[in-house]
Amino acid sequence: MKTTQAIVPYFNLARILWALVTLAAIVATYSDTASRGPVQPMNFFGYFTIQSNALLVAVWIVAGTAGLVKAERVTRWVVGLRALVCVCMAVVGLIYLTLLAPLGAAGGVPLPWANWVMHILGPLVILGDWLLSKDRVVLPYTAVFLILIYPMLWTGVVLVRGATDGWVPYPFLNPEQGYGVISLYVVAIAAVFAGIAVFVVAYGRRRRHRDVQLEIR
């Protein structure tokens, strides 16, 4: 118990540090894009990769700071947001490695080191944090449905934009393929999201991860 409590501050410091690294990657990507011409914010921040990493920055700074200030008073909503970020970043890494990297697509992150941070290291770091850290309360399985709201909304907005102004963030969502093909991709990705969300919540409910008694407010 004492050993676990002793390492909690290091996890929180690491979260804040990685959030800053990720923020630097986002800013560098934006600057690099702007150096080649005007940036359309709706397009730049329309990428799921950028949104997920921006969410990581916000959530990990909040979670890390809250944990350092008072590690024994972590609210359920903070843990829920950490779970959401974990799911989103895991999908970012998986989709990049399976659908984007083989096509040579940058996925909205053309700057090599920033691409590495947001598409590869980020998913590994945040998944490792969820698997190894124990400073969290147990989430109910209903959290899975709440986690899925964000990617469902994002997908809906992308499909509407693809059908109206023609902009899509990733080639597998391009309307030119036909909506039958896109539907298959959407269903498959939705299944991946659901599966990872169930795993993340279920793993957080494991008894061996309850040795830090956190107060729920």
Side-chain angles (χ1 to χ4, degrees), residues 41-59:
M42 285 289 291
N43 293 350
F44 181 81
F45 291 103
Y47 285 92
F48 191 78
T49 295
I50 300 296
Q51 290 187 17
S52 296
N53 278 274
L55 185 62
L56 183 158
V57 171
V59 171

